[in-house]
Amino acid sequence: MTVKPVPATMVQPGRIRVIKPGSTRNGPVIYWMFRDQRVSDNWALIHAVDEANKRNAPIAVAFNLFDSFKGANARQLGFMLRGLKQLQPFLFNSLHIPFFLFQGEAVETIPKFLVECGASLLVTDFTPLREIRKFKEEICEKLGDLVSIHEVDAHNVVPVWEASSKLEYGARTIRSKINKLLPTYLIDFPTLQPPNMRWNSSPPPFIGINSLKTVSSINIISPFIRKGAEVPEIDWCEPGETAALEVLKGSQNGFLTKRLKNYATDRNIPLKPKALSGLSPYLHFGQISAQRCAFEARNVRKVAPEAVDAFVEELIVRRELADNFCYYQPHYDSLMGAWEWARKTLMDHVSDKREHLYTREQLEKAQTADPLWNASQLEVVHYGKMHGFMRMYWAKKILEWTSGPEEALATAIYLNDKYEIDGRDPSGYVGCMWSICGVHDQGWRERPVFGKIRYMNYAGCKRKFNVDGYIAYVKKLVAESKKRKAEAEISLGQKQKEPRC
Ligand code: FAD
């Protein structure tokens, strides 16, 4: 792939990679949206509009809904589709840009759309995850020289390829590189204006291509929710850009407006989940820009400097370190991706006797002898978001209770991706790799099973927070969730019995 910066009038050149240069055509610009599912503060959309104006061409946004992507179920798909359902009219009403929803394989649907509308440029947003990178390569091949392709890192504050050109060892090695570039990249966003040229108001009726509005009228969301019903939707976190901004800085209970000070003191107390920002679902689905969050946080730094610095460290340094790992380490979700010292120490201890050995099913059903671990597993199954501190303990115990690091890692990733609303994310793969394989960590005193991997135990948690209080808190969450589920089932049963006119 050729990589060189392009001149852009609005987007910093370092944010854009030309994957395929210069098509001579002058047709429409298509933004294939994947990771950054928002209209506001989206550098990929800004770049696409900019390019469309330069070409005096119209622009459209395309989204491909995979039949199955990384095991997503009702919880994740419901959140995503409900967000997209809001995005479509927002995009059209504020910018006159149409939104096309495709269903099937992106490798088929996206090129077909591009060819049939005579597109000259495909703009994509960036993800380091291998599936989408592979699709992009296949799309490139399929399109030949017909269409130019630009990739825009609209997810990271500092674009991943600008922050570092290599796999970083840890936060301490990437921090200064990122900080040096923040004056360039941590800036406010321009206000996007409608493009100069509008899309033909009646796009050709391609087979398999519909606007979300059309699809929603035959209710596209319900079949996905039914299909993935094993892990139901959550109801405490409203999807969409507006809700995301409310969580960041709303006047009711916004993180920066109402909860910021507690972040410095309480963010590691699992009994106080509101001390965390709660932004990860929105960040994962790109319904809010991390740059917006960091920019707004810095604006209120005077109020709580310690909290803002800690938040920005997680939001930028830790999150972008995770993207760095997944981008430069092809084995980002397997033992092969661990550093040599970690692989060695884990294999040295692979045949150590385990006090308990649990199957994946026992773990999934929270049937261990540790009530604290069971509570964290139930928190994610029923609530859909495990507290950040508990995620570390949770994953480390899986290492302790399975036959070896490979099984532990596979189980942790499986459960994380299945139940976390923010799962299937670089931060999830790296979180599991950190806990089980010592990625971005250092060696510690050697002990059974863990070797030199950092250890965590029940007694340590007990010293840190009120363990019984957390267990009781999760018990209440589970009871409430079961009650709501039962009520929903009764109401659905009644609706089905109602006569139809
Ligand atoms: P806040 O503390 O308010 O953080 C704000 C943002 O900073 C987060 O939304 C996230 O984007 C980023 N962040 C915070 N902590 C980390 C971290 N350790 N690494 C990278 N980025 C971070 N995060 C996910 O987004 N998806 C996952 O699937 C996921 N799985 C994890 C699994 C394990 C085993 C571990 C140890 C961590 C995992 N994390 C994951 C990272 C972290 O726990 C969550 O991002 C955080 O708990 C989300 O809640 P919040 O937004 O309220 O956190």
Side-chain angles (χ1 to χ4, degrees):
M1 282 185 194
T2 336
V3 176
K4 62 175 186 188
V6 289
T9 50
M10 287 169 107
V11 185
Q12 302 99 319
R15 209 172 265 293
I16 305 155
R17 293 190 338 143
V18 176
I19 291 181
K20 195 171 274 215
S23 122
T24 49
R25 301 175 5 154
N26 221 15
V29 173
I30 305 299
Y31 165 27
W32 172 25
M33 178 181 277
F34 176 76
R35 197 188 191 194
D36 292 285
Q37 298 165 19
R38 62 182 181 278
V39 176
S40 310
D41 304 335
N42 184 338
W43 289 119
L45 181 63
I46 295 169
H47 178 62
V49 170
D50 206 22
E51 284 293 321
N53 286 342
K54 274 193 218 155
R55 289 157 203 252
N56 209 19
I59 158 180
V61 174
F63 189 92
N64 186 79
L65 185 55
F66 293 90
D67 290 335
S68 165
F69 187 70
K70 295 174 81 60
N73 44 53
R75 182 163 293 167
Q76 290 101 6
L77 286 171
F79 192 84
M80 184 182 85
L81 287 168
R82 290 180 203 285
L84 290 176
K85 201 173 165 187
Q86 291 173 31
L87 179 146
Q88 189 251 353
F90 183 28
L91 185 65
F92 195 75
N93 296 340
S94 60
L95 296 169
H96 311 297
I97 298 176
F99 179 84
F100 291 90
L101 183 75
F102 302 76
Q103 205 177 335
E105 292 307 316
V107 184
E108 302 297 328
T109 58
I110 300 290
K112 182 172 187 289
F113 182 45
L114 291 167
V115 169
E116 292 193 20
C117 71
S120 62
L121 171 67
L122 173 66
V123 174
T124 72
D125 47 39
F126 161 79
T127 169
L129 299 186
R130 68 173 71 86
E131 292 82 356
I132 295 296
R133 286 170 75 173
K134 189 167 158 276
F135 291 149
K136 268 186 206 169
E137 274 171 22
E138 286 171 13
I139 287 174
C140 270
E141 237 167 70
K142 212 163 186 169
L143 288 169
D145 292 332
L146 218 54
V147 179
S148 317
I149 304 182
H150 294 180
E151 183 176 50
V152 180
D153 187 347
H155 213 74
N156 291 299
V157 178
V158 178
V160 74
W161 47 76
E162 290 286 291
S164 172
S165 56
K166 63 179 174 78
L167 182 67
E168 290 292 336
Y169 200 80
R172 103 190 119 76
T173 64
I174 204 171
R175 189 178 294 113
S176 59
K177 295 181 181 178
I178 287 180
N179 284 341
K180 210 160 71 194
L181 290 167
L182 286 184
T184 308
Y185 287 105
L186 186 46
I187 55 170
D188 201 357
F189 289 86
T191 308
L192 197 49
Q193 301 297 330
N196 298 342
M197 174 85 93
R198 290 208 190 164
W199 190 269
N200 179 346
S201 55
S202 51
F206 303 124
I207 295 165
I209 298 172
N210 296 288
S211 75
L212 190 58
K213 206 169 163 191
T214 320
V215 180
S216 74
S217 66
I218 55 163
N219 203 348
I220 193 171
I221 299 181
S222 298
F224 279 95
I225 302 307
R226 271 199 301 276
K227 202 169 139 198
E230 188 195 349
V231 185
E233 288 186 272
I234 50 171
D235 57 7
W236 54 266
C237 184
E238 196 186 322
E241 279 180 62
T242 312
L245 263 190
E246 194 61 30
V247 171
L248 177 70
K249 55 174 196 166
S251 55
Q252 292 289 310
N253 199 22
F255 174 64
L256 297 178
T257 31
K258 298 285 176 192
R259 298 181 281 125
L260 182 59
K261 280 186 183 152
N262 301 337
Y263 194 79
T265 49
D266 297 346
R267 68 178 181 280
N268 282 327
I269 303 179
L271 250 176
K272 297 187 176 176
K274 292 274 183 283
L276 299 178
S277 70
L279 285 165
S280 61
Y282 302 108
L283 288 164
H284 168 74
F285 288 100
Q287 293 177 0
I288 198 164
S289 138
Q291 186 171 333
R292 168 62 59 204
C293 300
F295 190 78
E296 301 287 338
R298 284 207 159 178
N299 283 346
V300 295
R301 188 173 178 277
K302 266 204 310 269
V303 180
E306 209 189 314
V308 167
D309 292 349
F311 175 64
V312 168
E313 165 75 13
E314 300 294 352
L315 179 74
I316 304 184
V317 177
R318 295 284 165 176
R319 207 178 45 83
E320 302 195 0
L321 179 62
D323 259 35
N324 170 279
F325 187 75
C326 294
Y327 188 58
Y328 290 113
Q329 172 51 270
H331 306 293
Y332 56 75
D333 52 358
S334 84
L335 187 59
M336 278 198 297
W339 293 106
E340 177 59 31
W341 69 265
R343 276 205 309 271
K344 179 173 182 318
T345 197
L346 284 165
M347 293 326 284
D348 285 348
H349 290 272
V350 78
S351 46
D352 289 359
K353 187 170 169 9
R354 270 82 173 145
E355 194 187 340
H356 301 284
L357 269 180
Y358 298 113
T359 62
R360 181 178 281 191
E361 197 189 353
Q362 283 172 311
L363 292 168
E364 189 160 2
K365 290 185 173 158
Q367 291 169 345
T368 78
D370 176 350
L372 175 59
W373 192 92
N374 292 344
S376 65
Q377 172 64 15
L378 291 173
E379 184 179 23
V380 72
V381 168
H382 291 274
Y383 188 67
K385 181 173 183 276
M386 192 189 297
H387 189 278
F389 182 85
M390 290 312 299
R391 295 191 200 207
M392 298 186 273
Y393 179 78
W394 171 86
K396 284 186 178 290
K397 287 287 150 186
I398 297 178
L399 172 60
E400 199 174 320
W401 298 332
T402 44
S403 67
E406 273 142 345
E407 186 190 335
L409 190 62
T411 304
I413 290 176
Y414 165 79
L415 295 174
N416 192 82
D417 283 0
K418 182 167 176 183
Y419 292 106
E420 293 282 10
I421 181 69
D422 57 19
R424 306 170 307 127
D425 189 277
S427 297
Y429 301 120
V430 171
C432 294
M433 290 290 279
W434 178 88
S435 309
I436 294 168
C437 301
V439 162
H440 300 150
D441 203 359
Q442 61 182 59
W444 295 78
R445 187 171 67 81
E446 197 155 359
R447 60 171 62 243
V449 181
F450 282 76
K452 293 178 184 165
I453 302 295
R454 186 196 294 252
Y455 177 66
M456 281 173 82
N457 67 1
Y458 186 90
C461 291
K462 213 161 175 164
R463 280 195 298 275
K464 221 172 159 62
F465 64 94
N466 175 359
V467 162
D468 293 336
Y470 171 71
I471 294 169
Y473 154 76
V474 173
K475 210 170 168 184
K476 201 165 152 235
L477 276 185
V478 173
E480 283 166 3
S481 149
K482 285 185 174 165
K483 191 171 160 219
R484 276 196 304 273
K485 205 171 153 199
E487 283 167 0
E489 274 163 14
I490 292 170
S491 136
L492 187 72
Q494 277 167 352
K495 267 198 200 131
Q496 279 167 351
K497 275 190 212 148
E498 277 167 17
R500 296 202 180 164
C501 32

